[in-house]
Amino acid sequence: MIRQAAKQVVCGISGGVDSAVAALLLKKKGFHVTGAFMRNWDTKDEFGECRADKDLEDAKLVCSHLHIPLHEVNFVKEYWNEVFTPFLENYQKAWTPNPDILCNKYIKFDAFFDHAINNLGADYVATGHYARSSYGEYMENYNKESGAKLLRALDDWKDQTFFLSQINQRALQKTIFPLGDIPKEFVKQIAHSAGLSKIAEKKESMGICFIGKRKFKNFIAEYIPPKPGQFVDVDTKQVLAEHKGIHNYTLGQRISCPGLKFPYYVVEKDAKTQEILVAAGTNHPALFTTTVFTDCAHWIHSPPRLLLQDQMLDCQMRFQHVHPLTDCTLTLCGNNCLIINIAQPMRAITPGQYAVFYLGDECLGSAQIMQTGATLYTLGHREQVNNLPGFT
């Protein structure tokens, strides 16, 4: 039994196996556990179904099986204002947003955190994220003066610190991540052993939660009207075909146009003209760059000492959670903005996404990408690029 055995913990229950096992482990450790289901989206899909309703039924099943109370909390308004509206605005200005990072920042570790502490009497909150805290698996190393650091999960493939890279210190100091030291395969085994086989075998949700099974183009068309434009070959400057709006495409994406001799990929979008520059070949030099400019950086624990001292910091970064970590140098600019110089060219770095920074196992924080520097193509390279981070 640990020192915090009598503490009240509100655990976010999504209806999936990860949050179910997180709640189970907390209960076994002696915490008083309350489940909370967050309803962030209530619009039905084209089949007349609301995914949140189905997830709520699974959340009820989990909490009933574990003999813990379940509260449903509604953050639909907050989600619309803080996550979905910026999502649409970013697409309209030719950016590609990351709603999962914004959801964690504004909903799970802000609105939900405050609700759990202030209204549900929580001493701590917990989630099924694959991440670790310097405070320990169950707050055994808690030290308010030192502050909490966000650390990568033991299961590197499932590590979700990328999506937590905008979490605030106030929430992190009272958040428990029970799955941080457990591989995903063992999590499913724990669920089976506990009699939660239905939840363990539930298909894992992928992609953006509010889109569900729909094709992205069909979904986005409900909110952003079509704005026709042209696909233009970056090499020949010839018009290849027409499209129905830049919001349907992201950098690095293959376009689907009949009659083209080669596969073409998006390398640049213009929100004013609706023109999309495309290049032949997935490894065209117009897709690669080594420089990135960001907005104001968010530091989870505190600004890195060396960055403040030398105005520069060598660390690692990624801008997609599935990419390997890549060496880079951060240069501090005005208003805590950054210039990132990457050790090797990376493919399809996209404005609107987040550059997430690491030193060893620690996730330092992140910054939204505003624009990229010159591509290899702009710098005069004409050869195809191979075997580099972000190359597919």
Side-chain angles (χ1 to χ4, degrees), residues 294-297 299 303-313 329-341:
T294 79
D295 198 353
C296 179
W299 304 113
R305 180 180 57 82
L306 288 178
L307 183 63
L308 295 179
Q309 177 182 300
D310 302 333
Q311 305 297 295
M312 299 180 74
L313 175 71
T329 299
L330 309 182
T331 301
L332 189 61
C333 303
N335 299 319
N336 199 30
C337 297
L338 300 169
I339 299 173
I340 308 173
N341 290 295

Side-chain angles (χ1 to χ4, degrees), residues 37-42 72-78 115:
F37 178 83
M38 287 171 269
R39 183 179 290 272
N40 301 329
W41 188 259
D42 61 358
E72 180 182 357
V73 289
N74 190 307
F75 296 121
V76 171
K77 180 180 178 180
E78 291 85 349
H115 181 81

Side-chain angles (χ1 to χ4, degrees), residues 59-68:
K60 289 179 178 179
L61 185 154
V62 167
C63 290
S64 175
H65 187 82
L66 297 180
H67 303 291
I68 62 174

